């Protein structure tokens, strides 16, 4: 199980904030179904200690991790909470530092995204900018991370070989989706 504790400071109560983010009160806890995964997050509240404890399955998808990170970030901001995620380790970032569901998550997400795109090199992909299809071809190179190693902002790019030749796409919302060559179905 992944466990995250929010040690909050707000005096206005947690129910309005949790209900704003889709949690429903059930029994002695608050529950929210994730949109990107097939299970829910359960929050228990210790009013006397001002602690919210979030628990979810540890077999969570990458998209589920991103959704849960965003949820924890919003809740911590609205509740003026410190986040304790020592029991929610996800893995390691590119520098070998531990990454948790909240602390170190951004570096871990970029590392996973880069590894995912490197593993698609040489395969047929479709490149989207948001919902708009930009091209389809064999992935040659991509860098969709938003920062260089020196911390400077860079424009994400992707290069493919298509029926038009070599094409490079730039954009802040690039999405690279692998497809099979024979059928064109997404994997």
């Amino acid at each position: 199980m992944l466990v995250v504790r929010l040690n909050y400071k707000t005096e206005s109560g947690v129910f309005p904030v949790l209900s704003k983010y889709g949690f429903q009160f059930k029994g002695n806890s608050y529950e929210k179904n994730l949109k990107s995964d097939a299970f829910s997050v359960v929050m228990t509240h210790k009013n006397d200690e001002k602690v919210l404890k979030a628990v979810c399955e540890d077999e969570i998808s990458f998209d589920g991790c991103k959704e849960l990170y965003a949820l924890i970030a919003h809740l911590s901001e609205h509740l003026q909470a410190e986040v304790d995620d020592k029991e929610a380790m996800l893995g390691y970032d590119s520098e070998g530092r531990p990454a948790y569901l909240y602390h170190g998550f951004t570096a871990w997400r970029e590392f996973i995204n880069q590894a995912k795109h490197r593993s698609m090199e040489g395969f047929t992909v479709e490149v989207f900018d948001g919902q708009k299809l930009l091209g389809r071809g064999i992935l040659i190179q991509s860098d969709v991370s938003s920062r260089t190693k020196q911390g400077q902002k860079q424009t994400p790019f992707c290069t493919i070989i298509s029926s038009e030749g070599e094409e490079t796409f730039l954009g802040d919302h690039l999405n690279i989706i692998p497809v099979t060559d024979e059928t064109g179905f997404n994997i």
Side-chain angles (χ1 to χ4, degrees):
M1 294 292 195
L2 298 175
V3 178
V4 176
R5 287 175 183 79
L6 297 167
N7 302 305
Y8 65 91
K9 294 175 179 61
T10 188
E11 296 293 333
S12 62
V14 297
F15 179 74
V17 175
L18 291 176
S19 62
K20 176 183 177 181
Y21 288 101
F23 283 91
Q24 296 179 346
F25 189 71
K26 295 182 179 181
N28 293 331
S29 61
Y30 300 89
E31 193 172 319
K32 175 185 172 65
N33 292 326
L34 293 177
K35 294 177 185 172
S36 57
D37 238 320
F39 54 84
S40 59
V41 179
V42 176
M43 288 246 184
T44 55
H45 182 224
K46 293 184 179 181
N47 192 36
D48 55 329
E49 297 176 29
K50 290 192 167 189
V51 173
L52 274 172
K53 179 179 166 185
V55 178
C56 74
E57 297 289 328
D58 56 359
E59 295 296 321
I60 189 169
S61 70
F62 184 57
D63 287 337
C65 287
K66 291 189 287 187
E67 182 181 352
L68 203 49
Y69 166 77
L71 182 64
I72 297 296
H74 288 298
L75 289 174
S76 70
E77 180 181 329
H78 282 92
L79 295 170
Q80 302 165 9
E82 292 179 19
V83 178
D84 174 1
D85 61 351
K86 291 181 191 105
E87 295 179 61
M89 186 173 169
L90 299 173
Y92 296 91
D93 66 14
S94 62
E95 303 293 319
R97 295 178 299 238
Y100 300 89
L101 193 53
Y102 182 77
H103 295 99
F105 180 82
T106 304
W108 178 78
R109 180 185 62 210
E110 288 181 12
F111 175 62
I112 296 297
N113 272 330
Q114 287 174 352
K116 176 177 77 170
H117 291 121
R118 274 194 305 273
S119 69
M120 288 190 288
E121 288 177 0
F123 291 95
T124 302
V125 298
E126 291 180 335
V127 181
F128 291 87
D129 185 10
Q131 299 293 323
K132 181 182 176 189
L133 177 63
L134 299 177
R136 178 183 173 146
I138 298 172
L139 181 64
I140 301 298
Q141 182 181 18
S142 69
D143 187 355
V144 295
S145 66
S146 59
R147 301 259 176 221
T148 64
K149 289 186 182 197
Q150 293 78 27
Q152 299 170 332
K153 187 167 173 53
Q154 69 182 25
T155 303
F157 75 92
C158 154
T159 303
I160 62 171
I161 295 179
S162 69
S163 59
E164 305 294 319
E166 186 175 303
E167 295 181 89
T168 299
F169 303 104
L170 304 170
D172 290 329
H173 303 288
L174 290 182
N175 192 11
I176 304 168
I177 308 293
V179 295
T180 61
D181 290 325
E182 296 78 32
T183 63
F185 292 117
N186 287 339
I187 333 180

